[in-house]
Amino acid sequence: MRLHRLDITAFGPFGATQEIDFDALSAAGLFLLHGPTGAGKTSVLDAVCYALYGAVPGARQSPGTSLRSDHAPADLPTEIRLELTVGGRRLEITRRPAQPRPKKRGGGHTTEKAQSLLRAYDTERGWQALSRSHQEIGEEITQLIGMSREQFCQVVLLPQGDFARFLRADAEARGKLLGRLFDTRRFAAVEERLADLRRAAENQVRSGDEQILALAQRIAQAAGPAGREAAMPEVQPGGPGLADAVLGWAATARSSARERLDIAGASVAAAESRRSAARTAWDAERELAALQQRYAETGRRAAASEAGRAGHDHAQEQLRRARRADRVAPALELRDEAERAYRRASAARDRSRSGLPDSLADAGAEQLAALERRLREELGGLDAARRAERRSAEIDSERTALEREARADDELIRDADGWLAGWEATRDGLLARIEAAQEAATRAELLAGRLDPARRRLDAARRRDALADEAVGAEDRLGRAREHALGTREHWLDLRERRLRDIAAELARELVDGEACMVCGSAGHPRPARAGDGHVDQATEDAAEAAHRRAEQARTEAEHVLGAVRERYAAARAEAAEAAGADSAEDPDAGGVDDPTAAELAALVDTLTREHTLAHRTAAGTHAAREALAAAERERTQRTEDRRQAERRAAARTSRREGLDSEQESLEEVLAQARGEAGSVTEHAALLQNRVALLVEAVTTVREEEDAAARLKEADDRLADAAFRAGFDTPQAAADTLLAESGQRALQHRIDAWQAEAAAVADRLAETDARAAAGRAPAAPDAARQVYDVAERLLRDASAALASARERCAELGRLSRRAADEVRGLGPVREEYERIARLAGLTAGTSADNERKMRLESYVLAARLEQVAAAATARLGRMSSGRYELVHSDARTGGRRAGLGLHVIDAWTGRERDTATLSGGETFFASLALALGLADVVTDEAGGVRLDTLFIDEGFGSLDEQTLDEVLDVLDSLRERDRSVGIVSHVGDLRRRIPAQLEVVKERHGSAVRHRVADGISD
């Protein structure tokens, strides 16, 4: 990387534009940057850092700190422009920080956003713009330089006093700086990952041990007394030997439980024998008691049977008489039915006579029939009168209908008059509706023209928002692709470095005895180089390089995808902001094109849609309004015609009413004769019909009563004859003896039961064993039962103890198997935990195998520090005239961990001592050598990017004249690698020794720079 030109405008102490020509300053290889304190020497370096990374070093980038110069005019923007060559490309970076500027309209200020521009020089087309994105420019510069901002500030802008502090710092402070420079976060992440794995595995082991201890508790509960004979092992979860102790204790508990099971089995066998003997004795006593009880019960039953013999004989006689009376039962039923029929006929006759006049109370059937025929003849003569009465009623109905029609026509005429009176107002209202609907149609067309563009803008805004999210995802993928590309590049360069270290061994494999070496030309090869551990061959390096190329291709594709998404986003954004309103076009300070949100556009579309729907709905009523007007005109015509028709019907009704009055008068004369004393002919006819019906019913019931009396007399005669033949003196005696079938069955059951009981008693009295048992002493079954119950209870207790012992043995076996399974299952987990714990302790520096107690990150940084010390020693020897040499030390100091010690070897004394013992001047050139060595190592770490321009900030005032010459000789030797070195210092002697100078002059209106080269001074 080589700086060519730097333009600083309104930045820091510089109120105007200052131009710095690094090509002219670097021509001599060594130039001086000097000026009074506070003039802005460090600000020149800050401007370089800000141009490259968009931020200044260290605390000067703290929040709230402004980069804009207080001396600059309000209309002069702060800007940094840097032209440089890096990675074989000539680039120009222009950056403007966020800064206030006066508003173009009105008073006050507005904040202008930060801006960036990256251009590349093409020999044919000149300067070509590459990007305006802060992120893209930062990523591109970081990739080209190969260093972060922190690394750049430590390697290229060697800061004031930082390396002196680094030289004297303790291991922890050195570790922090080296960690930032070499990015060893991945090794710290490995330590954290192993620690997390160790904790997780430890938790798994503890959880497994807790499960085993929980099973041990259950085994103790299941073992009962057997478990109390041996105490459960007292081991904490995670402790060594827990599994073996639990399994041994469980085996002891199982053995004790099996012994108790054998004892319980013997107790059950003895109890079963005792219970069998008690059962036999109890059964014998129960049998003797049953025989004695049976004999006593037989005697009682024989006495009871003899006492019931009289009742048995009476039942037999009663059953015999009842069966003779059954032959009279049909005649009795027939006589009862005849009597009931006679009573019903007499009651019906009395009811029918109750409606007749008293003069007909004793009339016979023939007299009543003659009176019925006479009334029917009188009823037939009323038919003509009934027709006249019906016609009279029809005339009344017609008169009522005429009155109803007259009222309806009068109402129609009044309604028509009222409606026609408001006709003009109705017609004007309908015409106004038609006009309003036509105006709404015109407005609906205008709103439709605005609605479609609004909907297109809403769709574009939604696409814009979706593409914004997609752009974020594409940026994330691009970031990951860039990180992967950097990782593969670092891996490839690491393999390449390792291969180059062992390139001698690779060349040695091609040596042939007697043939000249292609390197030294010698035909003898006494000690050809051998490949060390981890040698990298050409194929491995090529594979790593191919992986790097694939990662770069993936990064390029991700950049293309991101560019395409951003183009679609810009198009959607422009479409969404199209015709955003007159306010944005008239206000130049609005910040560019408005970006309406999707919610705002959705609200606009909803408003236009509602207005368009309302206008369209109103316009749709045009046809209905016209139809309503036509309907109103038709109704007006119809109502006028209806009024004329009503007037004609009124005249016709008058003549009709007169005809009906005349007809009604003639009918009234006929009806007056036919009605008699009744209110109407119909009422008179109904009275005659009622009398006829009463006479018909009376004739019928009289004749039915006479027939029922004859049937009753015939039934009495048959009953008397049947009773005499059955042997009864009177029919009533037969009726009293009659017994229902259920009663006869009950008597028969009593007779049969007594006979069966008598036979059974006779059989039991003949039994010899019951008679013999009755002669023995009374049985005692209760005492035998008590003996049996005691034996049964003892057997149940013994059986329960046996079952419990079996369950304990089974449960102990099951739980022991589970415990063994848990132990077997936990074995691989415990082995994995021990392996991870060893690795975690080793990387964390806490393991006994790690003799120096170095963490993994410290170990890697120690290797880097060793490289830095070796690179620094090459320059420190020249600066100190061969006296001092920087070496890395991994010795422990006090109780601290080892790994990042830094000592100096004094060739005059041959002793190794701490860097804190150096004097002020020695500390400066040792720090300078360390900084230059660190720059070389970081440069190689960054992929070998050449750093052709370096800056060293202060410290030369602490050197004597001879040491200063040696230091300057070392810095001047950097030109051998085509480097230019800028020294930032107040030392006046350096102005005499270094002809190429950049002077920063402090003035009232802001600082300025002046170039001093061999040809003279220029502003």
Side-chain angles (χ1 to χ4, degrees), residues 464-488:
R464 177 198 64 197
D465 296 343
L467 288 170
D469 296 337
E470 187 176 351
V472 173
E475 290 174 355
D476 293 341
R477 290 191 293 274
L478 177 58
R480 290 194 296 271
R482 284 174 173 167
E483 291 179 0
H484 181 59
L486 289 174
T488 55

Side-chain angles (χ1 to χ4, degrees), residues 215-216 218-224 226 246-247 249-258 261 804-822 824:
L215 287 173
R218 294 180 62 183
I219 289 173
Q221 294 175 359
V246 170
L247 292 180
W249 173 79
T252 302
R254 290 198 304 275
S255 177
S256 299
R258 282 194 291 270
L261 177 62
S804 177
R806 285 174 179 168
E807 290 178 0
R808 289 183 186 278
C809 288
E811 183 67 10
L812 286 174
R814 186 181 66 82
L815 292 175
S816 298
R817 288 191 296 274
R818 282 191 58 186
D821 293 341
E822 289 287 343
R824 284 194 297 273

Side-chain angles (χ1 to χ4, degrees), residues 241-321:
L242 181 142
D244 294 337
V246 170
L247 292 180
W249 173 79
T252 302
R254 290 198 304 275
S255 177
S256 299
R258 282 194 291 270
E259 291 178 0
R260 291 178 178 275
L261 177 62
D262 295 340
I263 294 172
S267 299
V268 169
E272 286 179 345
S273 177
R274 289 193 297 271
R275 187 194 66 168
S276 178
R279 179 70 186 218
T280 302
W282 181 31
D283 290 343
E285 288 296 320
R286 283 193 301 173
E287 184 177 1
L288 176 61
L291 290 173
Q292 291 176 348
Q293 184 178 2
R294 181 180 179 84
Y295 186 78
E297 182 183 358
T298 301
R300 290 191 298 273
R301 288 173 62 184
S305 177
E306 188 61 29
R309 181 180 296 278
H312 166 68
D313 295 340
H314 176 71
Q316 281 185 330
E317 178 61 25
Q318 186 179 3
L319 180 60
R320 186 166 52 254
R321 287 174 59 82

Side-chain angles (χ1 to χ4, degrees), residues 14 34-36 39 999-1003 1006-1010:
F14 303 105
H34 68 92
E999 182 180 5
V1000 182
V1001 181
K1002 183 164 53 174
E1003 298 176 350
S1007 299
V1009 298
R1010 295 177 182 175

Side-chain angles (χ1 to χ4, degrees), residues 312-532:
H312 166 68
D313 295 340
H314 176 71
Q316 281 185 330
E317 178 61 25
Q318 186 179 3
L319 180 60
R320 186 166 52 254
R321 287 174 59 82
R323 286 175 177 171
R324 282 189 297 139
D326 286 343
R327 295 196 294 270
V328 187
L332 283 170
E333 292 178 359
L334 180 62
R335 197 267 174 191
D336 292 340
E337 179 61 29
E339 185 177 7
R340 286 193 296 272
Y342 176 74
R343 289 195 187 100
R344 287 195 299 269
S346 297
R349 181 200 63 188
D350 294 340
R351 285 193 303 273
S352 64
R353 285 183 180 274
S354 63
L356 297 178
D358 294 338
S359 59
L360 298 178
D362 297 326
E366 296 302 329
Q367 182 181 356
L368 294 174
L371 182 58
E372 175 198 356
R373 286 191 296 272
R374 184 172 60 81
L375 290 177
R376 287 185 183 277
E377 291 175 358
E378 183 180 354
L379 183 62
L382 294 177
D383 289 341
R386 278 200 296 268
R387 285 194 297 273
E389 188 176 40
R390 284 195 298 271
R391 177 55 187 160
S392 176
E394 290 174 358
I395 290 173
D396 291 338
S397 299
E398 288 183 13
R399 283 178 173 176
T400 303
L402 290 175
E403 292 297 331
R404 188 167 53 251
E405 290 177 2
R407 287 193 301 271
D409 285 342
D410 291 342
E411 181 66 24
L412 187 149
I413 291 171
R414 286 194 300 271
D415 185 44
D417 290 342
W419 191 92
L420 291 173
W423 161 245
E424 293 298 333
T426 302
R427 182 179 61 182
D428 293 342
L430 292 173
L431 290 174
R433 280 182 56 192
I434 294 172
E435 184 178 357
Q438 291 173 345
E439 292 176 355
T442 303
R443 176 169 175 75
E445 292 178 359
L446 294 175
L447 290 173
R450 292 178 59 194
L451 185 58
D452 289 340
R455 286 173 176 165
R456 288 196 298 272
R457 289 181 62 202
L458 176 58
D459 293 340
R462 289 171 175 166
R463 291 198 309 275
R464 177 198 64 197
D465 296 343
L467 288 170
D469 296 337
E470 187 176 351
V472 173
E475 290 174 355
D476 293 341
R477 290 191 293 274
L478 177 58
R480 290 194 296 271
R482 284 174 173 167
E483 291 179 0
H484 181 59
L486 289 174
T488 55
R489 184 173 184 272
E490 180 181 355
H491 178 63
W492 168 47
L493 292 176
D494 180 61
L495 293 178
R496 183 179 181 183
E497 181 182 356
R498 289 164 54 189
R499 180 169 175 262
L500 290 176
R501 284 202 301 265
D502 293 338
I503 195 67
E506 190 172 332
L507 294 174
R509 286 199 300 269
E510 300 178 2
L511 295 177
V512 179
D513 292 338
E515 294 184 4
C517 173
M518 66 179 65
V519 178
C520 64
S522 175
H525 315 299
R527 287 189 301 169
R530 298 183 181 276

Side-chain angles (χ1 to χ4, degrees), residues 621-687:
T622 304
H623 179 72
R626 288 175 177 168
E627 288 291 329
L629 179 59
E633 291 177 347
R634 289 194 298 271
E635 185 176 0
R636 174 176 173 271
T637 302
Q638 183 65 37
R639 284 180 179 273
T640 304
E641 179 62 25
D642 291 343
R643 190 177 185 281
R644 287 195 296 268
Q645 292 293 334
E647 292 174 349
R648 286 197 295 269
R649 286 196 299 272
R653 278 195 299 272
T654 302
S655 60
R656 176 62 177 163
R657 189 179 293 111
E658 293 175 352
L660 292 175
D661 291 342
S662 176
E663 185 178 1
Q664 183 69 29
E665 290 177 357
S666 61
L667 291 175
E668 282 297 331
E669 297 176 356
V670 177
L671 292 176
Q673 270 183 334
R675 280 196 296 266
E677 297 178 356
S680 64
V681 176
T682 302
E683 184 180 349
H684 184 59
L687 180 60

